[in-house]
């Protein structure tokens, strides 16, 4: 894509994710289900955190495009490095994990991840914006332009560290409230829960590798040029 086209796309994607994140934090306060939106609010859900992540990524991407358009190439190079690291390590694997895992569990038993009581709180379009649209956005980003992935060891360490932080947040909430962020977790013994977390990490790592594979297959090993 031309830089101007990329700038327009990234700007629109940033506005979209900002709007969706704003919308989920301002859902109707009346008749909220008792089991959600308590300690930690919406910020305990990976879905909502992913919306913020995507907004940050597209904001950084738009900034990189603008710097390239105005020929601030030295600054652009630094921002592009941050953009590519953010996309490869977090934005693509997390959005893919959120979409696929949510709909897989929703199909199996929605009460485990998205109780029916939420239908009266969160509009259908917002549910799909959070859990469906994030996947095609991620794939479109790979198709739109090449991204330089970090060394595999560095990328996986960063991804694992972020996963550890989120799991720690989930466990902290349980220790304070006695309630799990997702009802699914209550079904597991401590050993089973550890195995579930380990399996989820393995899945998100596979999505990291898949994103890197797609990027390489579409764009090859060539260096990104300003």
């Amino acid at each position: 894509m031309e830089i101007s086209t990329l700038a327009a796309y990234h700007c629109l994607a940033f506005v979209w994710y900002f709007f969706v994140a704003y919308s989920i934090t301002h859902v109707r306060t009346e008749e909220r289900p008792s089991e959600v939106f308590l300690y930690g609010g919406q910020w305990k859900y990976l879905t909502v955190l992913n919306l913020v992540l995507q907004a940050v990524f597209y904001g950084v991407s738009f900034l990189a495009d603008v710097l390239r358009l105005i020929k601030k190439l030295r600054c652009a190079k630094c921002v592009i490095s941050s953009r590519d690291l953010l996309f490869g390590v977090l934005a693509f694997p997390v959005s893919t994990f959120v979409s696929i895992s949510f709909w897989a569990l929703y199909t199996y038993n929605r009460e485990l991840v998205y109780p029916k009581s939420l239908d009266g709180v969160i509009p259908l379009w917002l549910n799909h914006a959070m859990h469906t649209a994030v996947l095609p956005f991620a794939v479109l980003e790979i198709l739109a332009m090449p991204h330089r992935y970090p060394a595999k060891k560095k990328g996986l360490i960063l991804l694992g560290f972020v996963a550890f932080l989120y799991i720690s947040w989930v466990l902290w909430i349980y220790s304070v409230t006695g309630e799990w962020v997702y009802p699914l977790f209550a079904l597991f013994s401590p050993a089973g829960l550890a195995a579930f977390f380990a399996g989820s990490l393995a899945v998100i790592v596979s999505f990291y590798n898949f994103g890197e594979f797609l990027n390489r297959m579409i764009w090859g090993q060539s260096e990104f040029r300003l």
Side-chain angles (χ1 to χ4, degrees):
M1 285 188 186
E2 294 291 332
I3 299 177
S4 57
T5 305
L6 281 172
Y9 164 66
H10 287 144
C11 180
L12 289 173
F14 168 74
V15 171
W16 166 252
Y17 275 113
F18 184 87
F19 169 71
V20 174
Y22 176 86
S23 297
I24 192 61
T25 57
H26 289 78
V27 293
R28 294 182 318 197
T29 56
E30 66 272 16
E31 300 180 358
R32 283 184 174 180
S34 59
E35 68 270 24
V36 297
F37 303 141
L38 297 177
Y39 187 88
Q42 291 94 331
W43 308 112
K44 61 186 176 182
Y45 299 109
L46 184 60
T47 294
V48 178
L49 296 175
N50 180 56
L51 294 176
V52 176
L53 168 65
Q54 300 303 319
V56 170
F57 165 71
Y58 282 106
V60 171
S61 297
F62 177 60
L63 175 59
D65 297 334
V66 170
L67 290 173
R68 292 170 65 201
L69 283 171
I70 63 177
K71 306 301 182 181
K72 298 290 186 179
L73 300 186
R74 181 175 298 180
C75 294
K77 186 175 182 179
C78 179
V79 176
I80 286 170
S81 296
S82 300
R83 178 203 67 192
D84 288 348
L85 184 67
L86 191 59
F87 178 76
V89 174
L90 294 176
F92 182 86
V94 173
S95 60
T96 306
F97 179 81
V98 164
S99 182
I100 292 179
S101 63
F102 174 83
W103 287 113
L105 290 169
Y106 185 99
T107 301
Y108 174 72
N109 182 356
R110 66 169 297 177
E111 294 299 318
L112 297 177
V113 290
Y114 194 84
K116 192 173 180 60
S117 55
L118 285 176
D119 288 345
V121 178
I122 300 176
L124 181 61
W125 73 266
L126 188 52
N127 181 22
H128 283 292
M130 295 187 297
H131 298 115
T132 306
V134 293
L135 181 55
F137 263 106
V139 174
L140 181 58
E141 179 64 24
I142 285 186
L143 296 175
M145 63 183 303
H147 295 82
R148 187 181 304 163
Y149 274 68
K152 181 63 68 69
K153 182 178 180 180
K154 177 182 178 181
L156 293 181
I157 288 176
L158 289 174
L159 178 59
F161 177 69
V162 173
F164 172 77
L165 289 180
Y166 181 68
I167 292 172
S168 298
W169 174 227
V170 168
L171 294 176
W172 171 258
I173 291 173
Y174 178 74
S175 71
V176 171
T177 67
E179 299 289 337
W180 288 109
V181 171
Y182 297 103
L184 170 68
F185 296 160
L187 302 178
F188 295 105
S189 66
L193 190 62
F196 177 82
F197 285 147
S200 297
L201 180 59
V203 171
I204 202 169
V205 166
S206 71
F207 290 147
Y208 172 97
N209 290 326
F210 181 63
E212 186 178 33
F213 169 78
L214 282 181
N215 185 75
R216 184 172 63 250
M217 289 296 294
I218 295 170
W219 300 103
Q221 300 285 1
S222 60
E223 293 281 321
F224 180 80
R225 292 179 173 83
L226 292 176

